[in-house]
Amino acid sequence: MGNAITLTIDGREVTVQEGTMVIEAAKKLGIEIPYYCYHPLLKSVGCCRVCLVEVEGIPKLQTSCTLEVKNGMVVRTNTPLVQKRRKGVIGFLLANHPLDCPVCDQGGECDLQNFSHRYGPAVAKFKEHKRTFQKYYIGPLVEREMNRCILCKRCVRFYDEYGGETTLGEFNRAAETDIRTFYKTEFNPGFSGNTIFLCPVGALTDKVYRFKARVWDMKFITSVCPGCGTGCSIRLWSRNNRILRITPDRNNNCSNNSNHGILNNFLCDRGQFDFEYLSSGERVRTPMIKQNDGFIPVTYEKAMDMIVFRLKKSIAESGPDSVGGIISSASTCEEIYLFKKLFKDCIGSPNVDFRSRFSDSGQVNAILDESAEYSDLPGSGGVFVLGTNILHQQPVLGLYLRNRAKRKGSTLLLAEPYKTGMEDCASLSVCYRPGTEAYLLYGLILCMLNPENREDLSRIEGFEEFRNSFKEITMEAVEQTTGVTKETMEKVSSLLLDKEGWTIIIDGEKESLLFSAHNLGMALNNVQKGRVKSKVLPVFSQPNHRGAMKLMPESCNARKIIDAALSGKLKFLYLLGSDPVSEFLDRKKMGAVLKNVEFIVAQDVFLTEAAQYASIVLPGKAPHAKQGSFICSGGLTRELQEGIKEGMESEWKTITRLAERLGYSMRYDIIDDLRNEMLSVLQKKDSCREKFLPVRIFEKPGKFPFVLVEGKNMFARDKFISRCGAIKFFFKPGVCISPSDAEKSGLMDGDAVTVFNNLGELKVMVSTMKDVQPGYAVMTDDIACPLNILKDSEEGFVEVDIRKE
Amino acid sequence: MSEKIVLKYADVPEQKNIGTYMKNGGYKALPRALSEYKPDEIIQLVDKSGLRGRGGAGFPTGKKWGFIPKTSPKPKYLVCNADEGEPGTFKDRAIIEGDPHLLIEGMAISSYAIGAHKAYIYIRGEFAMGADILVSAINQAREAGFLGKNVLGSGLDIDIDVFRGAGAYICGEETALLDSLEGRRGMPRLKPPFPVVVGLYASPTMINNVETLANIPRIIDNGAEWFAGIGTPHSTGTKIFCISGDVNKPGVYETPMGISFKELLKMADGIKDGKKLKAFFPGGSSTPILTDAHLNIEMDFESLKKAGSMLGSGAVIVLNEDRCMVKTAARLVKFYRDESCGKCSPCREGTDWLAKVYKRIMDNKGRDGDIDLLLSISHDIYGTTFCPLGDAATMPVVSSIKYFRKEYEEHINGKCNHTDN
C-alpha cells in the first residue's frame, strides 16, 4: 500500500501509512481528539468542526479528520487556541440541543455528553428559545428525535455509502436542516438499525430498547449472531437476566483488521432485533412427556429414565440400526460433535446426520476445505455473486460487498435469476433463467476457451466427465437454455479473465451449484495461471452449516434415516433442534414418516411441528443463551457466549448424560474440554485434488405452467422470528410473478391465489414484478407459506400452477 | 476620466446582437487567440497582465489557470460563476445583459487556454432575462461558428451551456456551485482536492467570475502590458463598482483600480439629501465596514486589505448618518443565517444564535453583555467553519461593533434614535 509517513503530534513522533488522516495517527499515539461527524467506517466530511487542530505552517485551524498526514508535519491538538475553538464549537452544538439527558436512551454512551464533559464550555451562554422539529413515525425499529440531532449526517452517509437506496436525506437549510426519510415514509427495514449505533447522540434510538434500561445498569457479553452463516460479532446487553438489546461488537477504535471489516462493523435488522423470542411464553422450559394428546412436564431424571429405557429396548430388540438422530445445522459444533459421537461410537448406529439435502458429501467437503475464507476477500481481484440474494441470505456480507464495490471501486459481478438490489454497484450484472446455473457457468467456461486463448482443459481430471454432464454442449444450446446472449457471456468471461483471484459466492446449500462454481474456479485458475487463485465462498442461511459439514463429512444423509423410518425399520429417533416437518422436503410425507417411529425425542427451543409427534420433549437452550462455537461461512470459528442464564440443561450436557447412562464415558466438566477434543478433529483437512466434478442437469417436467423460484428474505419467519414482535411483520408471504403472466391469468397485485401442484397447495397473495421472468413464480419460505408443501426434490425444477381464489 | 474596458459598449443599444458586437470590434480576439497563440501562451499572457479574479478573493487568474493538470485523461471544464448573490452586487448582470458576447468570447478563449471543450454558465436563478439573453447570444455565436464543433476551422470543439441556479447564496461558493450544477443539493465540498483537479464530474474544472472572463478578450486585443498599465501595480485593470445605498446616483461604475473612495462617491453624485457619510461596505456585505475616516482610501486589493477590509466583489454600499448600524448588522446577519447551508456546526448554529441575539436587541430586549456575547460567538465562528460563508457572517458584526459600539450600547439601553428605525 502506501509509504510510511512520520509526523509529530503534540511533541511525539508517530509513523503511519500514507493516506492516513491526522485523527487516526493521533489515536495511534493514544491522543484523543473529539469528533462527531467523523467515523472510521465512513468517508470523512469535516462538517462538525470539533476535531480542529493546529498545524505548523497552516494559519487556520484544520479538521484532523480530513487532513492527510505528511512527512514532517507538526500537529498540536491541545493548544489554548484549539481548546478555545473546540469549546466554542461544542457550545454551538449544545445551543439548540434539548439537554433532555434524563429521558434520553443515549445517555451514558452519548458523544455529546462525553465530549461536552471533557472539552465543552463550563457555562451555557445560549439563553434564547431552542428550535424544535416535528416528530413523525419512522417505523417500529428506530425512533427519530430530531431536536437532539447535531447533523453529523452519519446516518445519511451510511445509506449513501453502504445502503442501496437513498432512504434518508437532508431537508431545508441553515438551522432548520432536518434529517428525514423521503416523503416522511417509514424507514426501510434491512439495515436501518445501524443508524442507531452510528448516531453519536440520541437522535436515532432503538425503539425496542426504548426506556428499558440505562446503559450503565446493563452488562454485555460478546457473542456471535445466530441469524445466518455470516457469523457477525454481537454484544448481548442484559439486565436482570433479560436481553434488552443487541449491538455490533465494535470496539472503540473500530479497527477492522481482525475480521477484515466484515464481522465487527454492522448488523442487519434481523440480527439486531431477533432476541424477543427468548422471553416468549411458548418456550419449552422443562422436559415433557406425551400424555393423551398433550404434554405434561416431568423431571429431567424421569425423562432420562424413559429415554434410556426405550433406547436400550430398541437396540436390544432391533439392533443399533433401528436408532437414529437428526441434528440441525443451527446447533453448535460441540453439540454436533457429541451427537455424532453418541450415535457412531456409543450406540454404533450409522443413522446420524444434519442434512436434508446433500447426497455426495465427500466431494462437497473437499470443496469446502479448499474454499475461500473471509480473509481472502480483501485480496481478491473481484467478487462474483452467483445466483444468491446475498443481501438477504447473508445480509452483512452483502453490505460489505456493496460498500467494497461502491466506495473502493472493486469489481463486483452479478449473475442472478431476478433483481436483488445489488445491481447499482455491480460492474456487470446478468439475469439468467432460474435453475440454469450449470449451463451458464459452462457457457462462461466455453467463452474462456475461445480459439486464440485455447487452453486444453481436457488434460485435467474430470473435465470430460463434466462436459458429458451436458447433453448439448454448443454455445447456442447454452444461450437457449439460460436466456443469456453469447455477447453477454463473452463480456462476463472477459471480465472474469481480466481480474485474478475471484471469490465466487454461491448458495452453499445447493450441491450442484457448488460443483458448478468449483468447476468455474478450476477453469479460471487453469486458464489464467495467475498468482492468486480463484476460490468459491459458499454462503449459508444456517449459522453453523459449514461447521456441520466439516464435522459430519461421511454423511449417511438424513433422507436415508427418513426412508428407514418410513419402512418401519427405525424405532427410536432423536431430533436435536431439527424440525423435519418444516425443513425437509415433502411436508405431507414427513408427517407420515414421524408417525411411523415408535419413540421420538425432540429437543428444541419451541414445541415445533415435529415435536408434536414426539413422546418426550426436552428443552433446548436458545442460541443467544448458550455456549459453543459455530464455523461461519467464511471458515472462521466463532464463539457463542451465554447472553443470559437459562434454567434448562445445555444440549451437550444432555448428550453426555445419555451416553454415560448407556455406559459410554463422555466426561467433560466444562465445554472447553470438549472443544479442545473437537478442534483436533476439525484440524483434519480433506485434500481436494485438482479435478473437475460432474454436475447434475435437471430437466423441466413440464407438468405445470410455472417454475418455482425460491427467494430469500432476511425477515422470512422461522421459529425465532415469528416470536419477535418488532420484526415479525416485515415479511409478507406471497408469490411474485411477471406482469405478463399476471395479465394472462387475469391476476392483479394483491389477489388471493392458491399455488398448487400434485403435492399440495398454498394460499397466498400474488404480486407482480417486472424483474421476474415470465413462466417463473418467486416464493420465499416462511412459517405461513412453507414451500416444502410443494417440493419433493431440492435441486430439480419444482413446477406449480396458480389459481385465483 | 474613467476608462472603461468591460462595460465599454454595454450601453450601446443592440450590443447583445452579434452584428453590433462585431461592429464594435467583437470576435476579433477569439480568431487571434486561436491562430496566433498556443494555449500556454494565453495563460502566460493573462498571467503577465496581472488580472486577478473579480469574484471576491482576488486570486491571480493566470496562475489559477496554470493549475489545471495538463496530463489528466479526463475532460476539462470551464465554469463561469454568474451566481452573483453577494448582497449589493449587480455588476455581472450588467455585463450579461449589456454585452453577453463579450463574456461568451472570453469563455471561448479561456476554454481554449485551459483545454476545455465544454463550458457552463451557472447563472443565478433570478436572472431569467440574463439567462434568455445568454442563450440567444450563444445560439448566435454558434451559428456564426464561434462556438460548437470545429470553432473557426481550428479543429477544436468549444461549447457553452447555460444552467440556472435555484436561489441559494451558497451556490456562489465554487464547490457548492459544482454540486448544484451536478444536480445535487448545493453544499461546499471538501478541499483539497481543489476543483482545478477534481471539480465538475470529478474532472479538472476552472471556475471564473463573469467579470474576470469578460476581461480576457480585451487582454488579447490590447496586450498584457496595456492591461497591466491600468490601475495599480498589484491590482491591474479596471473594476466595476456597484454603488448602492444612500447616494444620489446608485449604479454600475467601471473605473481603473485604485480610485479613491471619495472619487467614487463623487461619480455617484454624493450622499443623498446632503447628508453626511457614516459608513460603507467596500466590497459587498461580506467585507468589513469602513467609516468616514476611510474616505480617501484607494479602492484596490492591497489598500483595502491594509485597512482591514476587502475589495470583494466591488459592491459599495453607502450608509448615511441616519442609519442605525445595529439594524444594518442585524439585517445582514439574518441574511447569512438564512443562507447558511447547514453543513457545518459553527456556521449553522452560530449564525442562528447571532440572529436570535440581534432579534432580541432589535425588539428592545437587549441585555448587558450582549455585545460581548456577539463578539464571542463571532470569534468562535471565524476560522472554524467549512467554507467562507461563516466567516463572512461575522464581518458586519465585528466591524460594526468595532466602529459603532456606542450604538449597540444605546440600543441595549433602549436609546437608539436613528431615524431609519
Side-chain angles (χ1 to χ4, degrees), chain B residues 64-355:
Chain B
K64 193 171 171 183
W65 285 3
F67 291 150
I68 285 275
K70 302 260 182 309
T71 53
S72 169
K74 291 187 165 174
K76 300 177 185 84
Y77 294 103
L78 173 73
V79 175
C80 169
N81 185 347
D83 191 55
E84 193 162 52
E86 180 73 11
T89 316
F90 38 86
K91 63 183 176 74
D92 296 342
R93 180 179 160 184
I95 300 168
I96 289 167
E97 291 176 6
D99 202 350
H101 285 287
L102 184 66
L103 172 62
I104 291 163
E105 189 176 3
M107 285 182 72
I109 297 166
S110 308
S111 297
Y112 169 64
I114 62 165
H117 300 293
K118 183 89 202 171
Y120 293 93
I121 302 175
Y122 185 93
I123 188 166
R124 181 181 170 139
E126 291 89 334
F127 289 175
M129 186 169 91
D132 287 346
I133 290 171
L134 277 175
V135 168
S136 60
I138 287 168
N139 286 336
Q140 287 176 354
R142 218 178 266 144
E143 268 168 42
F146 297 120
L147 288 179
K149 296 238 174 282
N150 190 12
V151 173
L152 299 173
S154 64
L156 287 171
D157 301 343
I158 299 171
D159 211 350
I160 304 178
D161 259 349
V162 177
F163 184 96
R164 284 178 64 190
Y169 171 65
I170 190 63
C171 292
E173 196 279 333
E174 55 180 16
T175 56
L177 182 151
L178 293 179
D179 260 13
S180 173
L181 192 53
E182 286 178 10
R184 299 163 207 271
R185 178 189 166 105
M187 296 227 258
R189 295 178 183 175
L190 200 63
K191 289 192 267 190
F194 289 94
V196 282
V197 185
V198 182
L200 187 65
Y201 308 121
S203 307
T205 304
M206 179 52 55
I207 304 158
N208 287 126
N209 177 256
V210 174
E211 191 186 343
T212 317
L213 291 167
N215 270 303
I216 304 295
R218 304 288 194 241
I219 295 174
I220 301 285
D221 279 339
N222 303 307
E225 286 78 13
W226 163 82
F227 191 84
I230 305 167
T232 69
H234 293 291
S235 302
T236 57
T238 61
K239 178 80 196 87
I240 305 178
F241 291 99
C242 318
I243 308 181
S244 62
D246 301 319
V247 291
N248 281 313
K249 281 189 185 166
V252 181
Y253 297 89
E254 184 180 1
T255 77
M257 287 270 192
I259 185 178
S260 76
F261 175 68
K262 204 170 164 185
E263 294 274 322
L264 206 57
L265 202 56
K266 217 184 275 169
M267 285 167 74
D269 207 13
I271 307 281
K272 216 157 49 179
D273 306 329
K275 300 264 167 129
K276 273 199 285 188
L277 172 73
K278 181 176 194 174
F280 63 98
F281 293 87
S285 64
S286 304
T287 57
I289 298 172
L290 296 176
T291 64
D292 55 351
H294 300 99
L295 200 60
N296 290 316
I297 195 159
E298 284 167 10
M299 300 293 278
D300 59 55
F301 291 111
E302 283 69 39
S303 312
L304 283 164
K305 200 175 167 196
K306 232 195 261 164
S309 189
M310 286 181 288
L311 180 62
S313 63
V316 181
I317 306 170
V318 181
L319 304 171
N320 72 16
E321 56 190 317
D322 293 339
R323 297 290 173 189
C324 170
M325 293 313 291
V326 184
K327 189 184 174 187
T328 308
R331 178 65 197 90
L332 286 175
V333 163
K334 173 83 169 49
F335 170 81
Y336 287 108
R337 179 238 174 269
D338 289 348
E339 291 297 343
S340 166
C341 77
K343 181 164 186 162
C344 74
S345 339
C347 175
R348 178 184 70 239
E349 304 293 339
T351 54
D352 183 47
W353 192 348
L354 284 175

Side-chain angles (χ1 to χ4, degrees), chain A residues 109-141:
Chain A
E109 50 183 3
C110 171
D111 285 348
L112 193 60
Q113 273 185 343
N114 295 344
F115 293 143
S116 299
H117 179 251
R118 266 170 261 169
Y119 309 104
V123 181
K125 287 190 242 165
F126 186 84
K127 302 268 160 56
E128 323 302 323
H129 274 294
K130 299 197 181 216
R131 66 163 176 259
T132 50
F133 291 92
Q134 227 188 349
K135 222 171 159 170
Y136 74 98
Y137 180 78
I138 60 167
L141 302 181

